Amino acid sequence: MSSTNSLPFIDLKSQYAALKSSVDARIQRVLDHGQYIMGPEVKELETALAAHVGVKHCITVASGTEALLIALMTLDLQPGDEVITTPFTFAATAETIVLLGGVPVFVDIEPDSCNIDARLIEAAVTPRTRAIMPVSLYGQVADMDEINAIAAKHGLAVIEDAAQSFGASYRGKKSCALSTWGATSFFPSKPLGCYGDGGALFTDDDTLAQAAREIRVHGQSQRYTHTRVGVGGRMDTLQCAIVLAKLERFDWEIAQRIAIGERYQHLLQALPLQRLAVREDRNCVWAQFTVLLQNGAQRSALQQALQTQGVPTAIHYPRPLHRQPAYERFAPAWALPHAEAAAERVMSLPMSADLSAAQQDQVIAALRQALA
Ligand SMILES: *Cc1c(COP(=O)(O)O)cnc(C)c1O
């Protein structure tokens, strides 16, 4: 049951209304030139995004999942190789490791930020470890300096799963510019979305960038010369054109997201729930605006109460990966209590760059009533 003035969980319609003339013109231009695969918009977007992030290379790919997969392929991940990652993420993170025969090694999260706990990583390093794959969950980068230091000490690569954090900053640098590879997604609901599937990889390493460009097109170094095993992993020209149009107000959108997130955090101070911790040296672009409740029972009741008041909610994510049927065989010898608790406790509220103060007040009022 939802009331007539139901809020959208993510408002893509207002965004399209604001950008309609540029989006439509960009799409029309692609229809006119007809280069649907690897058309001029692909390079144009890669150049713009590399400049935005502040790295040498951007390689657009078919999705965020494909970005993670290709990044691991450029490292020549072998069956049995281990990749240290978080169990509290979307399945794609671990899926790409397992698809290549690798072993995801799950270490627990920080209970307040829900990001991987960097202090637990070194104890999980073995002679088979090849890489660390932190996730910048909800739009906040994990402790990358600490993670990079462990990686340097042990000769490991670091792949940032930045599917939720494009546009976020960490100690004066941008998400995706912080490690061996930054991998992001342009799934429509992400901070920078297209109108279908898309993603991108970022690196300063020329050799890795070249490898990714080849893997993206079936491992071809030139047409019909397949120097390595690759995938069909291109992002199509139309989706690149749409992201180019969206870039016009992306800086404004990121500023909005940060401001709306801060306003939520401020308004929630008065309510009996736990707010996500955002560290001083970074920001959060709130791919999801997520709070923590006492337990699963309170959460279910609250979700229902909010729904009847027209406030949609979502759970990112209801089960940690080591409790998922496909991944439970990778449950480590150690316990993961914080990931398990977070899966019971998290709840995401409506969030978009176009969320108005009045809409936000409606969310807060509904929460206050439901928690009273
Ligand atoms: C969305 C997401 C992905 C996958 O991106 P797609 O573009 O949907 O393939 C990977 N990791 C995380 C953390 C995500 O949120």
Side-chain angles (χ1 to χ4, degrees), residues 236-310:
D236 66 67
T237 313
L238 273 170
Q239 297 303 338
C240 289
I242 289 158
V243 175
L244 278 166
K246 290 216 191 175
L247 275 182
E248 283 174 22
R249 63 163 215 171
F250 183 62
D251 288 341
W252 174 85
E253 286 190 11
I254 288 298
Q256 278 295 106
R257 285 181 167 278
I258 292 167
I260 290 166
E262 280 171 3
R263 186 163 186 265
Y264 257 140
Q265 295 279 71
H266 176 73
L267 294 171
L268 290 171
Q269 254 172 349
L271 299 183
L273 48 74
Q274 186 186 327
R275 298 169 302 159
L276 196 77
V278 179
R279 309 277 178 239
E280 295 278 317
D281 56 359
R282 65 203 82 171
N283 58 25
C284 186
V285 297
W286 304 107
Q288 281 85 35
F289 185 86
T290 303
V291 298
L292 293 127
L293 302 162
Q294 277 163 29
N295 52 46
Q298 188 202 23
R299 179 175 70 183
S300 307
L302 196 57
Q303 279 195 289
Q304 231 166 351
L306 292 174
Q307 186 63 45
T308 61
Q309 299 193 62

Side-chain angles (χ1 to χ4, degrees), residues 63-65 89-90 92-93 135 161 163-164 185 187 190 198 317:
S63 68
T65 307
T89 178
F90 183 57
T93 313
V135 177
D161 181 344
Q164 301 184 7
S185 162
F187 187 83
K190 308 285 174 161
Y317 296 91

Side-chain angles (χ1 to χ4, degrees), residues 34-354:
Q35 296 176 60
Y36 297 115
I37 300 294
M38 298 308 279
E41 284 80 2
V42 176
K43 189 84 240 167
E44 187 184 349
L45 178 63
E46 289 174 347
T47 304
L49 293 178
H52 193 276
V53 168
V55 296
K56 234 166 130 185
H57 304 283
C58 167
I59 301 106
T60 55
V61 293
S63 68
T65 307
E66 209 72 13
L68 295 169
L69 183 73
I70 293 173
L72 288 169
M73 289 173 78
T74 66
L75 303 176
D76 204 19
L77 195 79
Q78 295 298 311
D81 282 352
E82 296 171 2
V83 180
I84 297 171
T85 189
T86 166
F88 193 57
T89 178
F90 183 57
T93 313
E95 178 180 75
T96 56
I97 301 165
V98 176
L99 274 172
L100 295 172
V103 177
V105 175
F106 297 120
V107 307
D108 211 1
I109 57 169
E110 302 172 330
D112 60 346
S113 74
C114 294
N115 271 331
I116 191 167
D117 189 336
R119 294 165 305 178
L120 302 176
I121 290 176
E122 196 157 21
V125 174
T126 76
R128 289 309 304 264
T129 309
R130 289 293 320 282
I132 307 171
M133 199 190 272
V135 177
S136 300
L137 197 72
Y138 304 140
Q140 175 178 210
V141 172
D143 286 336
M144 288 302 275
D145 282 355
E146 288 80 356
I147 292 168
N148 285 327
I150 297 163
K153 186 171 159 195
H154 296 276
L156 312 173
V158 178
I159 301 169
E160 181 195 4
D161 181 344
Q164 301 184 7
S165 61
F166 197 75
S169 300
Y170 170 88
R171 299 187 177 176
K173 293 173 96 176
K174 287 272 168 73
S175 173
C176 287
L178 304 169
S179 54
T180 319
W181 277 117
T184 198
S185 162
F186 303 126
F187 187 83
S189 61
K190 308 285 174 161
L192 181 60
C194 57
Y195 290 159
D197 279 307
L201 278 165
F202 297 86
T203 190
D204 275 321
D205 186 304
D206 298 342
T207 308
L208 288 178
Q210 184 57 29
R213 287 205 175 88
E214 292 179 17
I215 291 166
R216 171 175 71 172
V217 288
H218 306 284
Q220 295 173 100
S221 54
Q222 22 179 323
R223 198 167 197 197
Y224 299 128
T225 303
H226 302 268
T227 53
R228 49 178 108 231
V229 175
V231 293
R234 293 161 300 223
M235 180 166 168
D236 66 67
T237 313
L238 273 170
Q239 297 303 338
C240 289
I242 289 158
V243 175
L244 278 166
K246 290 216 191 175
L247 275 182
E248 283 174 22
R249 63 163 215 171
F250 183 62
D251 288 341
W252 174 85
E253 286 190 11
I254 288 298
Q256 278 295 106
R257 285 181 167 278
I258 292 167
I260 290 166
E262 280 171 3
R263 186 163 186 265
Y264 257 140
Q265 295 279 71
H266 176 73
L267 294 171
L268 290 171
Q269 254 172 349
L271 299 183
L273 48 74
Q274 186 186 327
R275 298 169 302 159
L276 196 77
V278 179
R279 309 277 178 239
E280 295 278 317
D281 56 359
R282 65 203 82 171
N283 58 25
C284 186
V285 297
W286 304 107
Q288 281 85 35
F289 185 86
T290 303
V291 298
L292 293 127
L293 302 162
Q294 277 163 29
N295 52 46
Q298 188 202 23
R299 179 175 70 183
S300 307
L302 196 57
Q303 279 195 289
Q304 231 166 351
L306 292 174
Q307 186 63 45
T308 61
Q309 299 193 62
V311 175
T313 56
I315 311 295
H316 305 98
Y317 296 91
R319 254 209 248 190
L321 295 184
H322 66 288
R323 296 283 187 210
Q324 291 285 358
Y327 299 100
E328 60 194 2
R329 68 191 157 108
F330 300 110
W334 50 83
L336 300 167
H338 298 311
E340 286 173 15
E344 291 283 315
R345 297 179 58 208
V346 292
M347 182 182 79
S348 305
L349 299 171
M351 180 71 198
S352 316
D354 294 288

